């Protein structure tokens, strides 16, 4: 993998796709991405990492969409502690968080990656984003749904080369589609019977393109799998493809550095579960402990639905895990 990345970088430099002075920084970024991508192929904590990366990516998308939230707010919603973030106080938000979250998850619905599909199924058994968006963001679903499907079809088209410049060109193509999309200006009936079309309410659609970016990196052959946290687009797009490549490279380096740190921490936590939780082979406690790394604070109702146990059994499992944690910490 490392030799392949170095070869790719040298080809890009010779073709003029990457300025030579930046090649060292870019090659380092690509090698770190290859390290993260490679480790995820065999890590015992890949499922936990992808679950958390999905939340990191959704939080980044929400910020781009104009509804900034943090990962903890998503975790509390998933755990069953509260409604979607900003559901009550964000009455003037340009879009609901539930809609952003739904589009982020729907990106992976047809994935062939068994681990990514399993984490999606697991999450939807705790919190079904399709039900939540119908409840909290039906208007957003109707407004953005057709455009999102069009963008995803274009994003999935073949890529001529596995490089960021190719991705940048596709991003600009997708941005053009979002700008050409019809508005949603309301019609108002005047007192004299005339029908007036008001200007559409401005809605930033950059986040829709950013939603597809992890999938685009995979489809182009830059990553071996979809890594949901690789949301590399800025809120304000630069004027040229070359400038966009530089911005994506910086964002990629930041995301990969954070991903490697998260994977190290998650692997240590997962190893601690195996060492500290003493349970029978049929016990659900180890599985629940792993899930709590991604979704801390799971409530008994969510645990019962997730593990297909009774509410009483869920409370016993949570109590047993908490007892084990206190025993090992003392």
């Amino acid at each position: 993998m490392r030799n392949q990345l170095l070869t790719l970088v040298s080809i890009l430099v010779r073709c003029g796709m990457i300025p030579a002075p930046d090649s060292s920084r870019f090659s380092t970024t690509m090698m770190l991405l290859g390290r993260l991508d490679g480790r995820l192929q065999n890590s015992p904590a890949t499922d936990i990492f992808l679950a958390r990366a999905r939340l990191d990516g959704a939080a980044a998308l929400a910020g781009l969409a104009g509804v900034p939230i943090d990962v903890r707010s998503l975790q509390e919603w998933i755990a069953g502690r509260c409604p979607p973030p900003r559901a009550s106080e964000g009455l003037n938000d340009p879009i609901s968080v539930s809609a952003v979250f739904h589009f982020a998850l729907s990106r992976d619905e047809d994935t062939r990656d068994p681990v990514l599909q399993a984490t999606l199924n697991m999450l939807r058994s705790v919190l079904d984003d399709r039900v939540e968006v119908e409840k909290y963001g039906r208007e957003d679903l109707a407004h953005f749904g057709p455009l999102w499907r069009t963008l995803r079809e274009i994003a999935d088209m073949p890529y001529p080369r596995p490089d960021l410049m190719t991705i940048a060109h596709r991003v600009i193509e997708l941005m053009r589609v979002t700008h050409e999309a019809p508005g949603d200006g309301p019609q108002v009936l005047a007192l004299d019977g005339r029908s007036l079309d008001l200007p559409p309410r401005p809605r930033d659609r950059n986040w829709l393109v950013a939603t597809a970016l992890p999938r685009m990196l995979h489809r182009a052959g830059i990553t071996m799998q979809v890594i949901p946290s690789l949301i590399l687009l800025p809120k304000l797009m630069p004027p040229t493809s070359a400038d966009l490549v530089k911005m994506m490279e910086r964002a990629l380096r930041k995301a990969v550095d954070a991903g490697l740190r998260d994977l190290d921490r998650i692997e240590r936590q997962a190893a601690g579960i195996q060492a500290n939780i003493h349970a029978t082979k049929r016990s659900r406690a180890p599985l629940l402990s792993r899930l709590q790394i991604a979704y801390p604070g799971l409530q008994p109702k969510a645990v019962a639905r997730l593990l297909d146990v009774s509410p009483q059994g869920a409370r016993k499992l949570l109590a047993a895990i908490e007892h084990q944690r206190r025993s090992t910490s003392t």
Side-chain angles (χ1 to χ4, degrees):
M1 173 63 70
R2 177 174 179 174
N3 292 334
Q4 292 174 344
L5 289 172
L6 289 174
T7 302
L8 173 61
V9 170
S10 63
I11 292 173
L12 294 176
V13 171
R14 287 198 301 269
C15 293
M17 297 178 185
I18 306 174
D22 295 335
S23 61
S24 176
R25 183 186 65 185
F26 182 82
S27 62
T28 301
T29 299
M30 295 304 293
M31 283 190 289
L32 290 174
L33 176 61
R35 182 184 303 172
L36 174 63
D37 203 19
R39 284 179 60 183
L40 290 176
Q41 300 301 308
N42 301 297
S43 173
T46 295
D47 56 337
I48 307 175
F49 176 88
L50 291 177
R52 285 190 57 88
R54 186 175 280 121
L55 302 187
D56 290 334
L61 288 171
L64 290 177
V67 284
I69 57 171
D70 55 22
V71 172
R72 181 176 293 277
S73 298
L74 287 176
Q75 289 173 329
E76 291 181 351
W77 175 32
I78 294 169
R81 291 183 170 183
C82 64
R86 306 176 69 97
S88 58
E89 69 273 15
L91 299 179
N92 294 321
D93 285 344
I95 187 173
S96 65
V97 172
S98 60
V100 176
F101 192 60
H102 168 70
F103 287 119
L105 296 191
S106 65
R107 174 194 57 218
D108 304 327
E109 285 179 334
D110 63 346
T111 180
R112 297 182 181 179
D113 185 333
V115 178
L116 191 63
Q117 184 65 59
T119 60
L120 176 60
N121 294 340
M122 188 71 73
L123 173 55
R124 282 182 163 170
S125 67
V126 181
L127 178 80
D128 194 329
D129 57 289
R130 296 160 295 189
V131 174
E132 295 291 298
V133 75
E134 282 288 344
K135 182 178 180 181
Y136 293 101
R138 180 179 298 180
E139 178 186 348
D140 298 321
L141 186 62
H143 179 82
F144 291 104
L147 178 58
W148 161 239
R149 288 188 288 271
T150 299
L151 293 178
R152 197 170 105 159
E153 289 176 2
I154 298 174
D156 284 349
M157 293 174 64
Y159 292 81
R161 294 180 302 276
D163 59 66
L164 289 183
M165 183 60 75
T166 300
I167 297 291
H169 289 323
R170 185 64 56 85
V171 166
I172 291 176
E173 179 184 356
L174 293 173
M175 293 301 303
R176 189 178 301 114
V177 173
T178 65
H179 294 156
E180 294 172 354
D184 60 339
Q187 287 190 342
V188 177
L189 190 63
L191 292 176
D192 59 0
R194 291 179 302 163
S195 179
L196 304 176
D197 289 328
L198 297 182
R201 179 165 54 123
R203 294 199 184 198
D204 187 1
R205 297 183 176 96
N206 291 10
W207 68 272
L208 274 174
V209 179
T211 303
L213 202 61
R215 186 182 179 101
M216 293 164 65
L217 293 169
H218 172 59
R219 295 278 182 172
I222 296 177
T223 61
M224 291 185 287
Q225 61 189 327
V226 175
I227 303 178
S229 56
L230 299 185
I231 306 296
L232 309 181
L233 296 190
K235 191 170 182 62
L236 298 177
M237 295 291 291
T240 67
S241 298
D243 291 330
L244 180 56
V245 168
K246 293 177 182 178
M247 296 185 74
M248 287 196 298
E249 190 276 330
R250 290 193 294 268
L252 182 62
R253 178 62 179 270
K254 183 178 179 180
V256 170
D257 285 343
L260 286 169
R261 291 194 300 270
D262 284 346
L263 183 57
D264 288 339
R265 180 179 53 79
I266 290 170
E267 285 180 341
R268 288 194 298 269
Q269 289 179 300
I273 291 173
Q274 298 294 330
N276 298 326
I277 293 186
H278 307 287
T280 64
K281 292 183 178 180
R282 297 180 60 185
S283 174
R284 305 287 185 91
L287 173 59
L288 180 56
S289 296
R290 289 174 62 86
L291 290 169
Q292 286 180 322
I293 298 176
Y295 313 124
L298 285 170
Q299 300 299 290
K301 183 179 179 180
V303 172
R305 188 166 58 247
L306 177 64
L307 300 181
D308 194 21
V309 297
S310 66
Q312 182 180 6
R315 286 191 290 270
K316 287 183 178 180
L317 273 173
L318 289 169
I321 290 174
E322 183 62 25
H323 177 72
Q324 286 278 359
R325 286 175 180 167
R326 291 179 178 177
S327 299
T328 55
S329 62
T330 57

